[in-house]
Amino acid sequence: MSSTPSLPLPGGTWALGDLTVTRFGYGAMQLAGPWVMGPPADREGALAVLRAAVEAGITHIDTSDAYGPRITNELIREALHPYRASLHIATKVGGTRDAQGGWPPARRPEELRQQVRDNLTSLGLDVLDVVNLRLGDAEGPQAGSLAEAFGTLVELQQQGLIRHLGVSNATAEQVAEAQGIAPIVCVQNLYNLARRHDDPLIDRLAAEGIAYVPFFPLGGFTSLQSAALSAVAARRGTAPMSVALAWLLRRSPNILLIPGTSSTAHLRENIAGAGLDLSPEDLTELDAIGR
């Protein structure tokens, strides 16, 4: 593969500890089959989009061994291994999959140790760049201590199996609790134009040099909010997803994007859309959606 990016990436870069990543990244969840279970219908297409992401200059890929399960990690390994030194893969532990496609929690120490080993094996790595502890459940964050689970990951980090730690689907209190145990480099939570409950947390993390990685950039909109977003998109001659991604990059410098797709063409559209030049009037109108 060539080492020259074929597209300019919006947003520049961010430091996850000692790892520099592009703020525009790629989320691999959609590469698995329906409901994130089983293999993709188009395996070659899935491999192609991963290679296209790296060729575009993306250096941050988000995944989990629970996707498939194992499917997305195996695709990443097949498409990209041996990995470029500049490419950094973040994964998640703390949940598994059941036969019905559910996402039951799996945060006992022995479960977390096995999940870390599984990620290492499926990705073909000796050490994982970033491991996020997934908390809560499918309904969202749930209050409660993360000390035992996070402490297990700290032990694995001390053993040299993990470089950096983060938390996902976490309350602000859980983020603070994790920081009291060991340094974290990122928080991965649901956040978008319409769901802005984490605004204070994002600002605090930005001041501390910690990344915030929003998922579901178009989730949870009311019909009225969707209409407002669509109005801005129509005025700019682009798609609502492009506007949402561009707004997120401008919301705070510590926000990292991980939009997913199984299409190379859609990947390139997402990159171009995130670089959209939003006017002050656009930003004022968009900021009002979540308030």
Side-chain angles (χ1 to χ4, degrees):
M1 292 188 293
S2 124
S3 60
T4 303
S6 59
L7 287 170
L9 288 172
T13 61
W14 183 265
L16 293 174
D18 61 346
L19 309 176
T20 299
V21 300
T22 50
R23 288 183 65 207
F24 190 98
Y26 174 75
M29 176 189 279
Q30 291 189 31
L31 294 183
W35 306 104
V36 202
M37 291 289 285
D42 180 4
R43 184 177 185 85
E44 289 306 312
L47 297 173
V49 77
L50 285 163
R51 292 172 181 139
V54 173
E55 283 300 299
I58 288 171
T59 62
H60 174 210
I61 292 179
D62 179 82
T63 186
S64 172
D65 204 55
Y67 297 164
R70 295 176 299 282
I71 297 297
T72 62
N73 280 5
E74 291 171 355
L75 289 168
I76 290 168
R77 181 176 183 174
E78 182 176 347
L80 303 175
H81 194 277
Y83 305 112
R84 294 179 179 182
S86 60
L87 180 64
H88 302 297
I89 300 173
T91 190
K92 285 176 287 297
V93 296
T96 186
R97 305 303 301 278
D98 59 29
Q100 292 73 43
W103 302 80
R107 293 191 284 268
R108 294 193 301 270
E110 62 273 18
E111 292 174 320
L112 294 170
R113 294 186 189 103
Q114 184 61 53
Q115 289 169 64
V116 167
R117 288 193 293 268
D118 289 344
N119 274 280
L120 287 166
T121 299
S122 59
L123 289 168
L125 291 168
D126 296 321
V127 56
L128 298 170
D129 283 334
V130 181
V131 174
N132 289 303
L133 175 63
R134 173 76 172 181
L135 298 164
D137 55 27
E139 301 300 316
Q142 304 294 330
S145 175
L146 52 64
E148 181 182 45
F150 195 71
T152 300
L153 296 186
V154 173
E155 292 173 6
L156 294 170
Q157 183 183 43
Q158 293 168 345
Q159 293 169 20
L161 300 179
I162 300 171
R163 285 195 177 90
H164 298 292
L165 298 171
V167 292
S168 176
N169 205 33
T171 66
E173 292 75 19
Q174 288 166 334
V175 173
E177 183 184 14
Q179 290 179 287
I181 297 171
I184 63 173
V185 298
C186 56
V187 174
Q188 188 178 110
N189 276 1
L190 189 157
Y191 179 83
N192 54 48
L193 271 165
R195 303 285 295 275
R196 299 188 57 178
H197 53 286
D198 268 356
D199 273 339
L201 177 60
I202 290 171
D203 294 337
R204 175 171 75 78
L205 294 174
E208 297 172 359
I210 297 170
Y212 185 93
V213 188
F215 56 81
F216 294 145
L218 280 180
F221 279 68
T222 66
S223 57
L224 184 63
Q225 290 167 330
S226 294
L229 174 60
S230 296
V232 174
R235 190 166 64 240
R236 306 298 295 180
T238 189
M241 180 67 167
S242 296
V243 174
L245 293 176
W247 179 86
L248 283 168
L249 277 183
R250 286 152 185 77
R251 165 61 183 84
S252 183
N254 66 324
I255 286 183
L256 309 184
L257 302 184
I258 51 167
T261 178
S262 58
S263 159
T264 299
H266 190 212
L267 170 71
R268 295 181 182 277
E269 289 171 6
N270 282 344
I271 293 172
L276 182 68
D277 185 19
L278 296 172
S279 70
E281 293 77 14
D282 293 333
L283 292 172
T284 297
E285 191 169 342
L286 294 168
D287 285 342
I289 290 176
R291 294 176 177 169

